[in-house]
Amino acid sequence: MRFKFLVLSLLPGLLAAQVKPVAARVDSVLALMTLQELVGQTNQYNGFWNATGPLPVGNDWVEQRVRALKQGGVGSVLNVAGVNQVRALQKVAIEETRLGIPLIFGLDVIHGYQTLTPIPLAEAASWDLEAIQNSARAAAREATADGINWTFAPMVDISRDPRWGRVMEGAGEDPYLGSRIAEARVRGFQGDDLSDPSTLAACLKHFAGYGFAVAGRDYHTTDYSAHTLYNWILPPFEAGVKAGAATVMNAFSAANGIPATGDSALVWGELRRRMGFTGVVVSDWGSMGEMIAHGYAADVRDAAHRALIAGCDIDMESDGYLRYGVELARRNPADSIRFREAARRILSLKFQLGLMDDPYRYCGASQPDVRTDAYEMAVKSSVLLKNSGVLPLASGLRVGLTGPFAAEKNGVLGNWRVSAKDQSAQSLAEAVAGTWTYAASSPHSVGQEAFHAELTLNQTDTRANDAAIKALRKHDVLVLAVGEHGYESGEGRSRASLRLSAVQQDLVRKALATGKSVVLVVYAGRPLVLEPWIQDGAAAILWAWQPGTLGGSALADVLTGRREAYGRLPMTFPRSEGQIPLSYDGYATGRPGPKPEVFWSHYTDEPNEPAFPFGFGLSYTSFAYRDLEVTPSPEGWSATVTVRNNGTRAGSDVVQLYVGRQGNGQLYPTKSLKGFKRVILEPGSEARVRLELPREALTQRDGQGRTVAFTRGTLTITVGPNSREGLTWTTTLNP
Ligand code: NOJ
């Protein structure tokens, strides 16, 4: 019975079929399939059965799913992990269905599998594409060794709204940085060969525009211009497609009156025709059925039909294709062809993954040790936002550690931790045990901590704060681990207020009142708003994000200077929620200022400027920039700048190149990142750093999606350490 499908499909001759190209092999499988089996490939179920146990009885829901599986009605599953589970379920697909076509096993391997790396936004803060690629590679090695062959990552949604909890899963606000990171992650997950059993098929998500949820509220509709779609939202998808991403996921959101899962213009027009994507499109969880709640589809049959027409190949958990697919296909030959083409793409992926040759391919490897990769990534992700000189902490200092995240082993893992064990992070307190003194402060939350549940914050009980400060007040420096829990950011976790909780503010206030140097280590899945009294009062602020399994030692090493402060912000940090959405790359206004009267674009109660700009991050040494030279090159322009390490320690800076464009008959962002390079310098040494600006990087798409070259007007090139500072050079093209 094993490999029944292979035996059938290879009847003309095993050897001949082995060397056939994938397309021909897919054709030979399609030729054997009934309409029901074709539709079955497009159905994806969540893990539904303890596959290593006995067959379920007496549970209608599970029984229906098992029946569907055995009738060839399931093409892929998600959230079935662990070699035993995967092997057992695969065995049913292979041995108990008519054709024995293997399942694909998908999972949200977003920032690691069992060993967690920092959340993706944190990784983006490293601006280190090699490290990010390696981190994805490490996740792939760990997950594939446990039977998984498809990850629903990377999320490449651009967002300017830190209220939206899912910013933790993306690469921030910038389409250029986001595109480079999309490529790095796709390469890291997929490697060069999808059939290599240590690689995962990647999934670019969420197509498209999910990051522009109105008012930052998750699952909300979106509202963005065509300019925003073409120049911010789509570029990272295009980069990921070019890097070879095997799959793309529809967004939950709707725009221009159409939910993304039903949007033909997006999927067929942009993704398939313009970007040339030939892989599999999967719905988001239930996003097909949610078109009814959006008010767009009449019922599940209608939703399934609309999704099918709009190019959605796999229905994740709406049960639309399985219930109505055969009926739709029988009624309309065009729909029958659509299902066949969807099945063709899904089967091609199964061949590419090597599952058609060996369905148990991902069930054999031993678990790799990726802890060093997770540690390195955590070191490189933290961002030093303020330092009055107290950091790195000198060895003789008496350091007191407190704050709700100091001894935390759960909340610091991040949001997407489906396979990590509870309490498996090394905490900061553990990493510094025996060197610093730790005292517990009031807890941040009370009650249940779970992926699906709302976290209940401790709003009032400050008793332990007093005890902690009392215990530590004789120390020279107080390190406060504050911020938000991993389950305060991520899916379904939008926040209207981005401040520290009242109980944490109480702790900071009491720590500052001691008069000692206070170092804030802020754990967060997003930019938060730190009030001026906190920012001004703290001697240093290190943004730790949610650093994952090895965050404790990574942060301890940065705080004590064993490792350098490395990260730079991938998102603008607002001063207050009222400034949101906020990014460094907005358009200029017709009423710039400041002006003595009110008639300019501003707030009456807040500056326009952010708290910390995109690209910003301090290091333990200081760098000076001089002598920017820009020369035309055959391809565009070369910018060269001298960077000098003026401090007393070796260190590195991220040299960033921004352009401004004006006068070409379109609006352009006042600044757009177009290149960056990390330079490593010994104290007192300097280097000429060269960045290339290809002419085509100046193009922009107009409201109709047409590419417009920058042929005339003023071009400003700024090279510096962040989006606010730098040396500029200006030229006028074809005046
Ligand atoms: C919903 C999320 O939006 C998506 O990103 C994820 O991959 C799926 N659930 C599957 O868990």
Side-chain angles (χ1 to χ4, degrees):
M1 286 292 273
R2 285 185 83 220
F3 307 123
K4 202 184 328 176
F5 153 71
L6 290 179
V7 174
L8 283 172
S9 68
L10 304 181
L11 277 179
L14 189 69
L15 270 176
Q18 295 286 19
V19 292
K20 274 201 222 165
V22 165
R25 296 182 75 189
V26 171
D27 277 339
S28 64
V29 183
L30 287 171
L32 300 168
M33 294 173 81
T34 62
L35 178 57
Q36 205 168 9
E37 285 162 342
L38 285 176
V39 170
Q41 286 301 305
T42 67
N43 181 45
Q44 180 174 103
Y45 273 158
N46 185 49
F48 51 91
W49 166 39
N50 180 2
T52 52
L55 264 175
V57 272
N59 181 336
D60 288 354
W61 181 82
V62 176
E63 276 173 16
Q64 176 269 323
R65 291 188 163 216
V66 173
R67 222 174 13 253
L69 172 65
K70 291 187 177 175
Q71 289 167 356
V74 184
S76 54
V77 290
L78 79 153
N79 293 332
V80 175
V83 168
N84 292 341
Q85 293 283 326
V86 169
R87 192 179 274 282
L89 204 58
Q90 192 72 297
K91 195 159 177 274
V92 178
I94 298 301
E95 297 186 8
E96 297 186 50
T97 65
R98 192 179 75 88
L99 291 177
I101 298 175
L103 297 165
I104 311 180
F105 290 82
L107 192 79
D108 292 285
V109 182
I110 308 291
H111 52 103
Y113 180 64
Q114 273 156 7
T115 311
L116 293 187
T117 48
I119 56 168
L121 185 63
E123 293 198 359
S126 71
W127 292 56
D128 187 330
L129 301 175
E130 213 180 301
I132 293 170
Q133 179 166 335
N134 181 60
S135 175
R137 170 92 196 100
R141 284 167 58 217
E142 225 189 24
T144 49
D146 224 16
I148 302 303
N149 33 51
W150 181 16
T151 176
F152 302 123
M155 183 183 110
V156 300
D157 296 314
I158 296 295
S159 181
R160 304 158 176 169
D161 196 332
R163 292 171 301 182
W164 189 54
R166 290 204 83 168
V167 295
M168 57 75 56
E169 198 177 339
E173 73 192 32
D174 181 70
Y176 178 84
L177 181 63
S179 297
R180 302 294 77 78
I181 290 176
E183 292 159 357
R185 289 197 166 126
V186 168
R187 292 194 187 114
F189 287 130
Q190 296 197 166
D192 301 328
D193 175 8
L194 267 190
S195 72
D196 173 340
S198 70
T199 62
L200 291 167
C203 183
L204 305 169
K205 68 186 191 185
H206 304 83
F207 196 73
Y210 185 40
F212 284 76
V214 169
R217 217 176 71 209
D218 203 12
Y219 313 124
H220 206 354
T221 53
T222 57
D223 204 357
Y224 50 78
S225 68
H227 238 214
T228 302
L229 174 71
Y230 291 126
N231 298 298
W232 277 269
I233 294 172
L234 294 181
F237 283 97
E238 187 160 10
V241 167
K242 282 203 182 117
T247 71
V248 169
M249 184 184 287
N250 297 124
F252 283 128
S253 48
N256 301 308
I258 308 176
T261 308
D263 197 333
S264 293
L266 265 186
V267 174
W268 285 111
E270 292 301 323
L271 182 67
R272 293 212 184 275
R273 285 200 198 99
R274 205 182 57 76
M275 297 183 201
F277 179 69
T278 54
V280 171
V281 174
V282 59
S283 80
D284 201 342
W285 181 302
S287 68
M288 176 189 292
E290 286 176 19
M291 291 202 286
I292 305 165
H294 275 290
Y296 183 72
D299 50 30
V300 181
R301 180 193 282 106
D302 186 34
H305 194 207
R306 288 175 186 276
L308 180 71
I309 290 172
C312 171
D313 297 324
I314 295 184
D315 168 8
M316 182 196 287
E317 279 293 331
S318 289
D319 236 346
Y321 285 166
L322 194 66
R323 278 169 68 194
Y324 300 108
V326 171
E327 179 193 322
L328 289 172
R330 286 212 176 112
R331 268 201 211 157
N332 181 353
D335 289 339
S336 164
I337 293 170
R338 288 186 178 110
F339 273 116
R340 195 180 178 78
E341 291 310 300
R344 180 192 299 283
R345 288 188 280 271
I346 296 160
L347 290 172
S348 299
L349 179 58
K350 293 185 177 185
F351 273 108
Q352 287 165 35
L353 286 167
L355 290 168
M356 299 299 266
D357 297 309
D358 176 6
Y360 305 102
R361 196 179 194 90
Y362 297 80
C363 293
S366 55
Q367 275 295 331
D369 183 353
V370 297
R371 289 172 70 83
T372 312
D373 307 87
Y375 163 83
E376 271 303 314
M377 199 68 249
V379 164
K380 291 180 168 172
S381 297
S382 59
V383 185
L384 185 60
L385 293 181
K386 179 178 179 187
N387 189 10
S388 62
V390 64
L391 295 183
L393 294 166
S395 54
L397 288 174
R398 288 168 306 162
V399 182
L401 173 66
T402 185
F405 296 105
E408 177 67 39
K409 295 172 69 62
N410 236 8
V412 297
L413 285 170
N415 179 273
W416 275 115
R417 28 166 297 200
V418 272
S419 301
K421 292 199 176 66
D422 251 12
Q423 307 288 341
S424 58
Q426 181 205 38
S427 72
L428 182 55
E430 284 170 333
V432 299
T435 328
W436 302 359
T437 314
Y438 167 67
S441 65
S442 298
H444 176 54
S445 61
V446 290
Q448 186 187 21
E449 287 179 13
F451 182 67
H452 65 278
E454 212 80 64
L455 196 75
T456 310
L457 297 195
N458 165 21
Q459 304 282 16
T460 49
D461 184 354
T462 58
R463 282 167 301 175
N465 285 350
D466 296 303
I469 298 299
K470 196 165 166 217
L472 299 175
R473 63 183 326 124
K474 299 247 160 58
H475 289 68
D476 304 313
V477 177
L478 301 183
V479 175
L480 267 49
V482 293
E484 58 171 17
H485 189 284
Y487 288 150
E488 278 176 282
S489 58
E491 188 176 345
R493 297 173 194 276
S494 296
R495 289 181 62 178
S497 162
L498 299 177
R499 320 263 155 154
L500 293 182
S501 70
V503 171
Q504 291 191 37
Q505 293 202 21
D506 171 77
L507 180 72
V508 178
R509 201 171 284 114
K510 284 168 180 159
L512 291 175
T514 63
K516 300 296 169 80
S517 294
V518 173
V519 175
L520 297 183
V521 179
V522 186
Y523 293 78
R526 49 154 69 93
L528 295 178
V529 171
L530 299 181
E531 283 91 342
W533 67 268
I534 300 179
Q535 254 185 65
D536 297 345
I541 304 172
L542 181 67
W543 213 261
W545 311 101
Q546 275 120 16
T549 310
L550 274 298
S553 50
L555 290 166
D557 287 352
V558 173
L559 290 164
T560 53
R562 274 191 290 274
R563 298 294 300 266
E564 67 168 317
Y566 194 87
R568 305 291 184 262
L569 295 179
M571 266 189 103
T572 303
F573 274 41
R575 282 171 195 267
S576 69
E577 295 84 349
Q579 294 181 307
I580 299 170
L582 184 65
S583 66
Y584 82 94
D585 57 355
Y587 296 118
T589 160
R591 292 274 179 108
K595 286 188 175 156
E597 71 278 14
V598 296
F599 305 116
W600 62 287
S601 178
H602 72 299
Y603 300 101
T604 53
D605 55 356
E606 188 75 272
N608 287 353
E609 286 68 40
F612 299 103
F614 174 84
F616 178 78
L618 300 170
S619 50
Y620 286 149
T621 182
S622 63
F623 297 98
Y625 286 63
R626 62 163 213 275
D627 301 336
L628 172 65
E629 235 183 300
V630 178
T631 50
S633 70
E635 294 77 30
W637 294 266
S638 288
T640 316
V641 70
T642 299
V643 184
R644 181 181 162 80
N645 180 347
N646 274 343
T648 52
R649 286 179 58 117
S652 66
D653 203 11
V654 180
V655 183
Q656 301 164 32
L657 183 149
Y658 296 87
V659 300
R661 288 155 286 177
Q662 232 193 338
N664 193 42
Q666 284 206 20
L667 294 193
Y668 291 89
T670 46
K671 270 188 173 181
S672 306
L673 181 73
K674 294 294 175 192
F676 61 90
K677 205 179 250 180
R678 189 175 283 274
V679 56
I680 305 168
L681 290 171
E682 292 300 317
S685 72
E686 60 184 42
R688 289 289 283 166
V689 179
R690 185 176 161 139
L691 292 156
E692 302 298 339
L693 176 65
R695 198 171 297 274
E696 64 170 26
L698 299 184
T699 60
Q700 182 172 271
R701 293 180 71 196
D702 67 11
Q704 280 72 48
R706 293 173 303 221
T707 301
V708 179
F710 187 76
T711 51
R712 55 186 295 255
T714 308
L715 168 67
T716 306
I717 296 178
T718 305
V719 180
N722 58 60
S723 62
R724 189 160 56 194
E725 300 165 87
L727 304 171
T728 61
W729 174 93
T730 302
T731 190
T732 306
L733 306 184
N734 299 319

